[in-house]
Amino acid sequence: MEFTRTAATPDGDAPTRDRVARTILENGPSTAADLARRLDLTPAAVRRHLDHLALEGVVESREPKVYGARGRGRPAKVFALTEAGRDSFDQQYDDLAVQAMRFLAETQGEDAVVEFARRRVSFVERDYAAVVAAEPDLTPAEALARVFTQNGYAASVRELPVVGEQLCQQHCPVSHVAHEFPQLCEAETEAIAAVLGTHVQRLATIAHGDGVCTTCIPLTHTPASKKEKA
């Protein structure tokens, strides 16, 4: 689905700005330098497109989150999609979905909403076992990232010192609905904990205004191939 542009956007620049916005969608909040590298553009060109996207309300600049000790100097700002920016990517049915969820809650009650949320994420258990069987060298977080990406999320993994890994979902196909019905997020967390057989902690969600959904996953084992590389 192409990104919706305003009439003021020059047609020649629209495809490149689409690529910039989609790269942020797929990789999460990014610096101009990161985007330039991924898109094989000059930093100056990327900043020009980012300035235009910011004026359109598609992206916004944020202070980056720093994990561990902060280095010298001020870290570069990162650019994230705004709620309006996310609206342009494959979420045209959100209003209908919200209405359906409201109807379910009003007519069948809270338990029905929870049951629906759990059934919607049944793909986690279904696909996780298949991914692990096919690629046993993946860590649990890496296997989950494959599962979520295959089902409409742009997911990746960030290694954390000592504690384990973070499952990062840069895109959530139900984020707007989950803003009103957090049971959808809660069901995802339950499903992740169930397939791993351990407690996991949801640290942030797109539905509540964060740039990326993040879940902390304790590293319970290290695949053999990764031990050999260490």
Side-chain angles (χ1 to χ4, degrees):
M1 181 178 181
E2 292 188 357
F3 188 77
T4 303
R5 300 258 152 226
T6 64
T9 304
D11 290 341
D13 286 340
T16 302
R17 288 184 180 132
D18 288 342
R19 291 172 60 210
V20 172
R22 184 165 290 279
T23 299
I24 295 174
L25 173 75
E26 294 175 350
N27 295 280
S30 306
T31 65
D34 289 336
L35 292 166
R37 185 177 63 256
R38 293 182 189 125
L39 297 170
D40 195 23
L41 297 171
T42 65
V46 168
R47 291 190 184 92
R48 178 166 56 83
H49 292 308
L50 287 170
D51 287 344
H52 197 105
L53 290 169
L55 286 174
E56 290 184 330
V58 175
V59 303
E60 61 184 3
S61 62
R62 299 177 179 176
E63 294 293 335
K65 292 183 179 180
V66 177
Y67 298 91
R70 182 187 291 271
R72 290 185 176 181
R74 187 171 183 176
K77 287 185 177 294
V78 297
F79 292 85
L81 290 181
T82 63
E83 185 173 349
R86 289 182 182 279
D87 283 340
S88 299
F89 290 101
D90 306 326
Q91 294 178 343
Q92 65 269 45
Y93 300 116
D94 281 349
D95 288 344
L96 178 61
V98 168
Q99 291 174 27
M101 292 293 287
R102 288 173 180 166
F103 178 79
L104 182 64
E106 292 169 3
T107 58
Q108 303 297 320
E110 172 75 11
D111 289 344
V113 173
V114 172
E115 179 58 30
F116 172 82
R118 289 172 175 166
R119 184 173 297 187
R120 197 197 72 80
V121 295
S122 61
F123 68 84
V124 176
E125 181 176 4
R126 180 195 70 211
D127 295 351
Y128 181 77
V131 169
V132 170
E135 300 182 72
D137 288 342
L138 295 178
T139 67
E142 289 170 342
L144 282 167
R146 297 283 179 88
V147 170
F148 277 99
T149 296
Q150 290 169 3
N151 286 275
Y153 302 73
S156 61
V157 175
R158 176 189 293 130
E159 292 187 7
L160 298 175
V162 183
V163 297
E165 296 175 303
Q166 254 184 17
L167 175 66
C168 304
Q169 297 157 235
Q170 286 87 4
H171 175 57
C172 174
V174 296
S175 61
H176 284 58
V177 184
H179 180 73
E180 184 170 340
F181 293 94
Q183 297 93 332
L184 294 169
C185 296
E186 293 162 5
E188 283 182 16
T189 306
E190 288 179 4
I192 293 170
V195 297
L196 298 182
T198 187
H199 172 73
V200 299
Q201 184 177 7
R202 180 63 64 93
L203 303 176
T205 63
I206 294 171
H208 289 87
D210 298 296
V212 180
C213 294
T214 56
T215 306
C216 186
I217 297 177
L219 191 59
T220 55
H221 73 280
T222 302
S225 64
K226 293 185 179 289
K227 290 179 181 177
E228 292 170 1
K229 295 177 183 178

